[in-house]
Amino acid sequence: MQAHVSIILPVHNAEPWLDECLRSVLQQDFEGTMELSVFNDASKDKSGAIIEKWRVKLEDSGVHVIIGGHDSLSPRGVGYSKNQAVAQSSGSYLCFLDSDDVMMPQRVRLQHQAAVQHPSSVFTANGPTVIMPTWFCSRAWFSHVGPFDEGGQGVPEDLLFFYEHLRKGGGVVRVDQSLLLYRYHPRAATHSVLETTIWTHRVRFLEEQALPRWAAFTIWNAGKQGRRLYRSLTAASQRKVVAFCDVDENKIRKGFYCHEDSQERPKPRIPILHFRAARPPFVICVKLDLTGGAFEDNLRSLHLQEGQDFLHFS
């Protein structure tokens, strides 16, 4: 019988966390049919034995367990493992879970309730919106967008999937409760992805999806991040930057930013303005949580509308 929800669990050398992770599957309060699809990506520790131990407990509780994997010398990567786990599963909805994380008992129930109402959306939990292990979506939508990139270590397969999801018109709906404990540790797969790789993908997506709609724009932040964004843009996008804006009087007094590495002659000199003298649209390169609310107050004072006059990029 086809399950309502398949929990998608890629595993690679997860022995220290796997018991707690699988216990959280057992503790779900979802009343529909549920299955666990595990793909063991060449683990060399006791992950396989732990999975087999929990298979009995889960199936005794009505959770069907599918176990796939391989024992090659090297893992094939997270994208490959997720795709394999999805392929061997049957559920109408997919609930993504990392083997070092822990779900709250209400997670599957609440995200399933939301997903039924929004078939072309990815559902997340309260907190950072696009953290992959909080994702929940219909199988039909995953098949429309996916699969994950299987490039292996160093490839941000979740970010690439998310961008393709947005390209195809998908939405993001957040269940405003804490549904998952995300474990951040030195062995986490996220550390294999370079920050510069993430930055490059984000800039290219910005140039693909947002900047073509604008004839000109202002970069909010004349500091390190704002200048880095400017330097990362293509020459065509750089020519659309009419100003930087800031609140730092020292930066504003400089009057302009000169892009010394530019091949253009004369080298571009971009004005630096006080934010009240600047004009939208803006690309904002600041962390909103470091200003104690002052930044958002400034935005409100300018009567800006998100999605129309500014994009947050940091």
Side-chain angles (χ1 to χ4, degrees), residues 26 54-66:
L26 185 64
W54 279 96
R55 180 212 287 262
V56 176
K57 296 180 181 179
L58 288 162
E59 294 198 333
D60 284 348
S61 297
V63 180
H64 181 49
V65 179
I66 309 106

Side-chain angles (χ1 to χ4, degrees), residues 150-202:
E150 297 186 358
Q153 189 174 34
V155 174
E157 83 293 331
D158 50 353
L159 182 66
L160 296 177
F161 180 94
F162 187 70
Y163 283 165
E164 188 62 22
H165 161 76
L166 296 177
R167 289 186 185 101
K168 294 189 173 180
V172 180
V173 177
R174 189 174 72 181
V175 176
D176 285 322
Q177 292 192 35
S178 295
L179 301 181
L180 182 127
L181 172 65
Y182 177 74
R183 200 186 306 269
Y184 189 79
H185 58 89
R187 289 169 55 185
T190 186
H191 295 299
S192 69
V193 182
L194 297 177
E195 188 274 338
T196 52
T197 300
I198 298 290
W199 177 269
T200 298
H201 282 300
R202 294 183 71 201

Side-chain angles (χ1 to χ4, degrees), residues 51-105:
I51 293 165
E52 289 294 341
K53 176 186 72 175
W54 279 96
R55 180 212 287 262
V56 176
K57 296 180 181 179
L58 288 162
E59 294 198 333
D60 284 348
S61 297
V63 180
H64 181 49
V65 179
I66 309 106
I67 301 173
H70 67 99
D71 57 2
S72 304
L73 292 178
S74 301
R76 294 283 300 274
V78 180
Y80 173 80
S81 299
K82 289 174 185 172
N83 288 338
Q84 293 299 308
V86 170
Q88 70 189 16
S89 68
S90 69
S92 300
Y93 294 89
L94 306 175
C95 176
F96 292 93
L97 177 63
D98 285 354
S99 56
D100 51 359
D101 296 333
V102 178
M103 296 191 291
M104 302 300 106

